[in-house]
Amino acid sequence: VKVKPGPNLTFDARPSRDPDGDPLLFHWFFYPGPSAPLENLGPGRIRVQLPPGADPAQYHLILRVRDQSPTPFSRYARLPLR
């Protein structure tokens, strides 16, 4: 994901949909390595606060989306920043 320089980046996974219509749970985290504070902006939305002078290419954000069915299914997306 190409990002513009700056300390605050916003990510939004709300367009995600479950084929069965089940509600979704979103979990954002960083792949092992450098991390930064994640601010929850509501279901599916976060703001990342990169440290001053940070190289975005060192950060890999992971999103797990899980449905809330009796047999939950999870899908992961890895978002390397550039």
Side-chain angles (χ1 to χ4, degrees), residues 2-39:
K2 284 191 175 188
V3 297
K4 294 181 180 181
N8 294 314
L9 309 168
T10 302
F11 295 90
D12 189 347
R14 290 179 299 174
S16 301
R17 298 285 179 257
D18 180 75
D20 302 322
D22 295 321
L24 298 174
L25 297 172
F26 302 90
H27 177 65
W28 298 88
F29 58 98
F30 280 102
Y31 191 76
S35 65
L38 301 175
E39 179 184 355

Side-chain angles (χ1 to χ4, degrees), residues 7-82:
N8 294 314
L9 309 168
T10 302
F11 295 90
D12 189 347
R14 290 179 299 174
S16 301
R17 298 285 179 257
D18 180 75
D20 302 322
D22 295 321
L24 298 174
L25 297 172
F26 302 90
H27 177 65
W28 298 88
F29 58 98
F30 280 102
Y31 191 76
S35 65
L38 301 175
E39 179 184 355
N40 185 359
L41 300 177
R45 296 183 65 224
I46 60 162
R47 179 178 298 131
V48 177
Q49 300 175 4
L50 294 182
D55 176 8
Q58 299 298 312
Y59 295 82
H60 291 237
L61 191 59
I62 308 292
L63 169 62
R64 182 186 75 193
V65 180
R66 188 178 73 202
D67 70 357
Q68 296 183 53
S69 70
T71 54
F73 180 79
S74 294
R75 177 79 186 241
Y76 291 83
R78 182 176 175 182
L79 306 166
L81 307 182
R82 292 186 249 164

